[in-house]
Amino acid sequence: MKSINQGILFSATIAVALLGPINAGAVTREEMQRLTDAYPVGSVVVCEAFLEGNGKDRAPMLTKIRGQVTARKGDVSQLNVSVMYIPTGSSNVTLTMSYKQTTTIKDEGSLVVIDRDSFKVSMPASPASEPILTKSFVDKLPDGDDIRPFSSTKITTFPSYVVQSPGESPLHCNKES
């Protein structure tokens, strides 16, 4: 369960991944706009991160995040996001979270708002647990402003990039073809 909870951090980070990265350090609004323009409505960003296990209650797994830009007006973007967890050595998704997200570019970073009512968990091995897990995740979502600083993201080959947040595995993102 702890590794699943860690995934919430990755899913919230998708906003930085979609709209926030340019270079490590301070980025300008103009640089942010350039990246935002690289992901127009209809485009999809795919991000992956490897979560290390701890040899006890947390198995190593791959996290895959897929975010589709569904609307954009000015500095506000709406996305449909899915986050999948795949244990190392398997091709089966053990848990999927999906939700709608609104991201607003601010001077200090991206303001991320996850629509609590749209949040759903799918867990094929234990469908009866899905409502309980959904409620648990929704209860852990930030209350109030969740600003993600631009400084944690670095462009690799535009428009691909890596998000490195303290205490988390690097999130490698690229545009789906």
Side-chain angles (χ1 to χ4, degrees):
M1 178 61 83
K2 191 170 185 177
S3 65
I4 293 170
N5 287 337
Q6 225 181 350
I8 271 291
L9 297 174
F10 282 114
S11 60
T13 302
I14 193 73
V16 175
L18 286 171
L19 302 171
I22 294 295
N23 296 312
V27 285
T28 67
R29 237 174 137 56
E30 291 78 22
E31 290 169 324
M32 275 302 300
Q33 193 62 54
R34 179 174 168 245
L35 187 63
T36 299
D37 291 345
Y39 291 91
V41 172
S43 64
V44 175
V45 62
V46 178
C47 301
E48 293 186 358
F50 179 73
L51 300 176
E52 292 188 26
N54 62 4
K56 298 176 187 171
D57 60 345
R58 188 175 34 183
M61 63 180 60
L62 177 67
T63 303
K64 287 189 177 188
I65 302 170
R66 185 177 189 276
Q68 181 173 22
V69 181
T70 58
R72 177 166 297 126
K73 184 174 184 182
D75 291 336
V76 180
S77 298
Q78 294 176 334
L79 303 98
N80 287 335
V81 179
S82 64
V83 182
M84 297 166 281
Y85 296 93
I86 305 162
T88 300
S90 173
S91 60
N92 297 326
V93 175
T94 58
L95 182 120
T96 302
M97 298 183 300
S98 59
Y99 52 88
K100 295 179 186 290
Q101 174 179 300
T102 301
T103 303
T104 306
I105 299 173
K106 301 282 191 181
D107 289 338
E108 64 276 16
S110 293
L111 171 63
V112 178
V113 178
I114 294 174
D115 178 358
R116 293 169 180 268
D117 294 334
S118 72
F119 199 101
K120 295 194 180 3
V121 171
S122 171
M123 191 171 174
S126 182
S129 300
E130 292 171 359
I132 296 163
L133 286 171
T134 297
K135 182 179 179 342
S136 175
F137 283 124
V138 168
D139 289 347
K140 288 180 175 79
L141 291 173
D143 291 328
D145 290 353
D146 184 18
I147 300 282
R148 302 292 173 156
F150 305 137
S151 61
S152 62
T153 308
K154 180 176 115 177
I155 290 277
T156 52
T157 304
F158 187 84
S160 297
Y161 51 89
V162 175
V163 177
Q164 180 65 64
S165 298
E168 295 181 16
S169 299
L171 188 63
H172 300 270
C173 303
N174 59 69
K175 194 171 189 176
E176 186 175 78
S177 356

